[in-house]
Amino acid sequence: MGKIFLAKTNKGLSFAAFVKDHNWLDEITDFFKKRDILLDHNENKFRLEKNLFDNYFKGKKESFHSLPIDFISGTPFQRKVWLETRKIPFGKIGTYKSIAHKLNHRGYRSIGQALSRNPLLIVIPCHRIIGSDGSLTGFGAGLEVKEYLLRLERGEASA
DNA sequence: TACATAAGAATAG
DNA sequence: CTATTCTTATGTA
């Protein structure tokens, strides 16, 4: 399916996304640079994460709830949305509207906006959020990925 | 303050 | 019923 770029602080995982191309990596590294976060290329530190993702892509109900995460970016609102999204159980889906409702918000669109900036793909299952009519509205990493992930959770994955 | 948004609702076909 | 357009609210820079 592709490679996944992971980044973590000493507090927890802070970034996870599919690697697009080299240029994309530059942007990410730049992102961390601006925050004075040094990147240490040490894959050994990601044993746990790797294992979790491995489970997930095997179709196991990995919720990542045990994985410590660290929001290096994000406004209070975004975090609320992310945390709420994270509560969605494996295999289930939610709508922007439902999230908004839980947060006592009327800003459906803002939910999507927050999710679009989700730095923790999969860990925060933004792919489980779809439009109120059941349509896949959008996805940062590409709708293909979203579709794939949803099928994966339905047990129809084909890698 | 102005811009952008992964939505929604409404309308037309 | 589906496709298309328009509207509105909210977050962010």
Side-chain angles (χ1 to χ4, degrees), chain A residues 85-100:
Chain A
T85 304
R86 207 181 170 206
K87 291 179 185 174
I88 299 176
F90 190 100
K92 281 207 170 186
I93 57 173
T95 64
Y96 297 90
K97 202 173 183 179
S98 67
I99 299 291

Side-chain angles (χ1 to χ4, degrees), chain A residues 17-58:
Chain A
F18 283 101
V19 177
K20 295 177 184 176
D21 49 46
H22 195 274
N23 193 41
W24 178 86
L25 268 180
D26 281 344
E27 291 182 23
I28 300 303
T29 49
D30 198 53
F31 173 84
F32 284 98
K33 237 179 190 175
K34 288 179 181 177
R35 286 169 177 68
D36 292 317
I37 298 175
L38 296 178
L39 293 178
D40 180 15
H41 302 272
N42 186 345
E43 295 195 13
N44 291 323
K45 291 183 179 178
F46 295 94
R47 286 270 174 75
L48 173 63
E49 287 79 1
K50 191 177 179 182
N51 189 43
L52 290 178
F53 277 95
D54 212 44
N55 281 337
Y56 180 85
F57 284 106
K58 281 181 182 174

Side-chain angles (χ1 to χ4, degrees), chain A residues 59-121:
Chain A
K60 293 185 181 180
K61 295 185 179 182
E62 183 54 66
S63 62
F64 294 96
H65 283 193
S66 61
L67 184 66
I69 56 180
D70 179 27
F71 295 124
I72 53 176
S73 71
T75 63
F77 173 75
Q78 288 179 336
R79 296 183 186 194
K80 278 200 295 184
V81 175
W82 294 339
L83 289 176
E84 195 60 46
T85 304
R86 207 181 170 206
K87 291 179 185 174
I88 299 176
F90 190 100
K92 281 207 170 186
I93 57 173
T95 64
Y96 297 90
K97 202 173 183 179
S98 67
I99 299 291
H101 190 265
K102 281 186 178 181
L103 299 178
N104 287 320
H105 264 268
R106 276 180 293 178
Y108 330 111
R109 314 179 69 165
S110 305
I111 304 295
Q113 193 175 29
L115 289 176
S116 72
R117 300 190 176 180
N118 168 26
L120 294 167
L121 188 67

Side-chain angles (χ1 to χ4, degrees), chain A residues 56 90-94 125-130 134-137 139 143-157:
Chain A
Y56 180 85
F90 190 100
K92 281 207 170 186
I93 57 173
C126 51
H127 57 272
R128 291 183 200 145
I129 308 296
I130 60 178
S135 61
L136 308 186
T137 47
F139 198 60
L143 283 175
E144 297 176 354
V145 179
K146 188 169 184 175
E147 232 180 293
Y148 171 82
L149 293 173
L150 287 175
R151 283 201 314 176
L152 175 69
E153 302 195 357
R154 289 193 321 221
E156 301 174 14

